[in-house]
Every structure is written in structure tokens, then in C-alpha cells.
Amino acid sequence: MTAQPPVETGPKTNWTLREMLLWATGYLEKKGSLSPRLDVELLLAHVLHVPRIQLYVQFERVLQASEKDQFRGVLTRRAQGEPIAYILGTKGFMSHTFAVNPHVLIPRSDTECLVEAVLQDHAAITTPLRILDAGTGSGCILLSLLKARPQDHGIGWDISPGALQVAQHNAQLLEIPTTQLALHLRDMSQAESWATETSVQILVSNPPYIAPEEESELSPSVRSYEPREALFAPDSGVFFYKKIQALAGNLLAPGAKVYLEMGHLQSGSVVEIFSTPAWCDTRLIPDLQGIPRVLATTYTGVPPR
Ligand SMILES: C[S@@+](CC[C@H](N)C(=O)[O-])C[C@H]1O[C@@H](n2cnc3c(N)ncnc32)[C@H](O)[C@@H]1O
């Protein structure tokens, strides 16, 4: 009698990478993920500690029990709506990898246009500049600027101690010299904070700008997982632009440049807020979809009112 191949009875135990990719993609699709295949590839690569491309090289590899258990854990988190960046613990921004956790907003690709505008506007200036980032979060804006302009000095503020820890960790990951950066627990809505520095030549900020009454319009994964203090601002979302307009002059050098990210419907209100003699050369910079996303303006030196 010739030997028969073993017949699997009961739940499937031997999963190849290919089978798991297919099955888990269908599972996440049913759970409402908009990018199920990509999510599964990222999660599998994360659990197996391999680059994504290796999944295809190792298509017929059978997953070990411990790998399957770990993958089940992260897949369940994703199926419940947790953002992939929090599960992986990282997010790419301006070709760098930033550590993220639920204390910080996940860096958005739209924010890259703010960084690019600052770099472009100052490309010809090689002398050291002082840059302040109000609401630094993961540090993605400030640290990307410092990486590209190693002669500059950066100051990062945040109201969240957890966010400052993440920014500090990212500074180490990106090997930013400690002398190039100072991170402080500061409340940008308080006048005292703006009296703690002088001669800042570039102010950047992506402040919280979502009106609390718009909370229901956010995707469930943003609403349930990203930090509330990074998202919401009173006064129809423009609270921090008013504060920056009124207070930033205390620490800006005349001629300093200011770059502020804003919501896609806020450009009119934000331009109006900055329509005082304290500011000139105000312009709007569009994001990748062509929507005005960043207000850039110059401090004239006339005290704001
Ligand atoms: C929209 S997130 C931006 C984070 C990061 N700069 C980015 O672009 O991904 C806003 C940040 O402002 C911080 N924040 C909120 N209120 C603040 C305040 N009153 N003073 C200082 N920082 C504040 C939040 O903790 C959060 O890190």
C-alpha cells in the first residue's frame, strides 16, 4: 500500500505566507479597511521582522505558531480600527521614519508641504536660524527641518509630556545633536510661553484646528485613537491661530517667517486673522490635492494687536 498525504481535519494549522496574505486581506476588507492588502503586508512584515518585499520571496514559507499568534493580535487591532501607524509604532515623513504612539498625532503627508515650503524659502540662507515649532507632537516638522538644515537651532513646544517624550526619542533616532534642539513643556495659548524665547526667525505650527462640533465628521479611527489635544480647538477651530497672531510677535525677529498648517476650509478665516499691520507677504500654499493647506506670512515688526 502506498502512503497517503496527511488529510487536514479540523482548523487549518499550516499556513503559508501566501495563504495568510490572501485570507487576512479578505478579512480586513470585510472589516472595512480601505487598504486591506497593504495593511496585511505591513503587519506581516512587522511580525516577521522582514522588509515587505521579502514576503513575496518567502511566499511558501510556513508560519510558526508564535508568528501566527502575534499576527492574529495585530490583525485584530487593525480590524477594530486602530491606525496601522500605532500598531507598527512608526510612520514615514519626509523620507525619515518617526516613532509614534497614541500620545502623538500620526504625521500626515499633507504636512510635508509646510516643511518643503520652509526649506525652499530658506534654501539660499546658510547662516544658522532659530526655528520654533509650537505643538511639535512627534517632532516630524521640526526634526525634518533640522535634519535638512543642520546649522539651525530648533525649539519644540508641546502641552503634552507624552508627546515631548516621543519627539525626544525621534531626535535620538534621527541623530539630531542635543545642542541643536530644545524641547519644552509649554502652553502656546499662554502669553508667558511666548516670553521665554527671543529672536526666532522661523515659526512653524500645525496646531489643533478641528472644531469640536465637527467631531462626528472624523473617521472612527481618528476619533477613537488619536489624542484629543492634538485635534480639537475651540472657536470653530481657529483658537490657536488667534493666539499665535496676537502673541508670536513677542519672540519673533522682524522679518521672521511664519508657516501655519490649517484645515481645508479654514484658509479664509486664517488669512483674515493675519490681516493686520504685523504681517506682510501673506500667501497660501496648497497641499497635494491643491487645497490651501499652509498660511505663510512675514512678521513686519509692528506689534500685533
Ligand atoms: C495637530 S498636532 C501636530 C503635531 C505635529 N506637529 C504634526 O504636524 O504632526 C498639534 C500638537 O499641538 C499640541 N498642543 C495642543 N494644545 C497645545 C497648547 N495649548 N500648547 C502647546 N501645544 C499644544 C498637541 O499636543 C499636538 O502635539
Side-chain angles (χ1 to χ4, degrees), residues 104-165:
V104 297
L105 189 91
I106 298 166
R108 304 296 204 266
S109 55
D110 282 337
T111 304
E112 292 181 341
C113 70
L114 187 158
V115 178
E116 278 158 5
V118 177
L119 294 178
Q120 208 173 326
D121 290 355
H122 296 83
I125 304 176
T126 52
T127 49
L129 298 174
R130 278 164 62 74
I131 309 174
L132 170 67
D133 181 9
T136 199
S138 63
C140 60
I141 297 175
L142 183 62
L143 301 178
S144 299
L145 290 172
L146 295 181
K147 215 49 206 162
R149 296 184 52 88
Q151 73 275 33
D152 291 355
H153 186 261
I155 304 151
W157 291 353
D158 209 286
I159 201 166
S160 154
L164 288 173
Q165 274 180 15

Side-chain angles (χ1 to χ4, degrees), residues 3-38:
Q4 296 295 308
V7 176
E8 284 216 48
T9 55
K12 181 169 171 54
T13 49
N14 289 332
W15 289 80
T16 64
L17 264 177
R18 180 156 51 102
E19 289 167 331
M20 191 56 97
L21 263 166
L22 277 176
W23 175 82
T25 300
Y27 175 70
L28 280 192
E29 198 170 8
K30 276 193 221 114
K31 292 287 176 182
S33 164
L34 298 175
S35 50
R37 176 74 179 203
L38 176 64

Side-chain angles (χ1 to χ4, degrees), residues 89-99 170 173-174:
T90 56
K91 176 72 186 176
F93 182 85
M94 292 295 295
S95 359
H96 304 299
T97 300
F98 284 86
N170 280 321
L173 291 178
L174 293 179

